[in-house]
Amino acid sequence: LTLETLAANHQLIMRAANLLRTTPGEIEAKLEQQSGEMKELRHQIEKFKAEGDFEFLKEGLLEEMRRNDKMFIMGEDMAVMGNVFAITTGFLEEFGPNRVIDTPISEEGFCGMAVGAAMRGMVPCAELMYNDFVTVCADPIFNQAAKLKYMSGGQCSIPMVLRCPMGSGRRNAGQHSQSLEGMVGHFPGL
């Protein structure tokens, strides 16, 4: 047996001993406390749903754009429409067209633009309308953004954000429902 195994066994034995010393009333009180915590959690979830799924994203982006004048947002329908999920509604009026940019349907093109802007000291936040499109812009993301710091010997940094709404549950069909975050998350340099 290893020392770790002995320590884990000792912890299990101590928990069991504490459980044996617990009275039924104490168990009921603990269950009641957990029930109250679950009710509060359910209340927070319902409040979150009522306020909108994406309000926290909007607040975070607003806070960072107000703090850092080098940050800008770009993607399809980001400026005039305010994003398909209404996250950037009002951004165009507050920050102007140089910091809230509507792009054409050209994910590879505007992701390449984001990499270039980051290389020059800007802080782009490029949004792919759906995660599925990360494969369309693989070259600027996987071959440029991920590797430029290493290829330049640390002289070049790529401070960019790539937002990709993802996953099923919204009834968005086959081209808009994948969860590819594992592919991106396991790619060195990202």
Side-chain angles (χ1 to χ4, degrees):
L1 289 174
T2 66
L3 189 56
E4 290 84 15
T5 306
L6 287 173
N9 287 341
H10 176 73
Q11 287 179 343
L12 285 173
I13 292 168
M14 294 306 293
R15 284 188 201 150
N18 285 335
L19 253 164
L20 290 173
R21 284 184 236 138
T22 306
T23 66
E26 291 171 327
I27 292 172
E28 278 185 36
K30 185 70 173 171
L31 288 173
E32 185 70 31
Q33 176 189 355
Q34 289 175 349
S35 174
E37 290 169 0
M38 288 302 293
K39 285 178 187 172
E40 176 59 27
L41 182 58
R42 284 190 192 104
H43 171 72
Q44 292 296 328
I45 290 170
E46 290 307 315
K47 181 179 171 191
F48 174 74
K49 286 180 180 178
E51 290 176 354
D53 292 345
F54 305 106
E55 194 63 30
F56 66 97
L57 288 173
K58 183 175 189 167
E59 289 175 18
L61 288 169
L62 275 171
E63 180 180 321
E64 190 59 22
M65 287 188 72
R66 288 173 180 153
R67 187 189 72 76
N68 185 353
D69 64 351
K70 290 186 176 189
M71 183 177 176
F72 67 96
I73 295 175
M74 68 175 156
E76 298 153 13
D77 298 325
M78 297 298 283
V80 176
M81 187 174 155
N83 177 277
V84 293
F85 302 108
I87 293 171
T88 57
T89 302
F91 281 39
L92 181 60
E93 293 78 17
E94 182 170 345
F95 300 107
N98 290 333
R99 294 188 62 204
V100 184
I101 304 168
D102 274 335
T103 65
I105 299 173
S106 177
E107 288 85 357
E108 184 176 14
F110 69 78
C111 282
M113 186 173 107
V115 172
M119 289 175 71
R120 299 291 297 153
M122 298 299 290
V123 183
C125 176
E127 178 173 313
L128 303 177
M129 198 174 284
Y130 294 97
N131 186 331
D132 303 61
F133 306 140
V134 76
T135 57
V136 174
C137 52
D139 183 56
I141 295 171
F142 299 124
N143 287 327
Q144 307 307 321
K147 299 175 184 176
L148 279 167
K149 183 169 187 169
Y150 305 106
M151 290 172 23
S152 69
Q155 296 177 35
C156 180
S157 183
I158 310 296
M160 71 177 265
V161 174
L162 182 64
R163 284 200 356 88
C164 306
M166 65 187 112
S168 61
R170 293 189 163 276
R171 300 180 187 99
N172 290 327
Q175 296 296 318
H176 301 86
S177 298
Q178 294 184 82
S179 295
L180 302 174
E181 64 276 8
M183 181 175 74
V184 176
H186 288 93
F187 204 89
L190 292 179

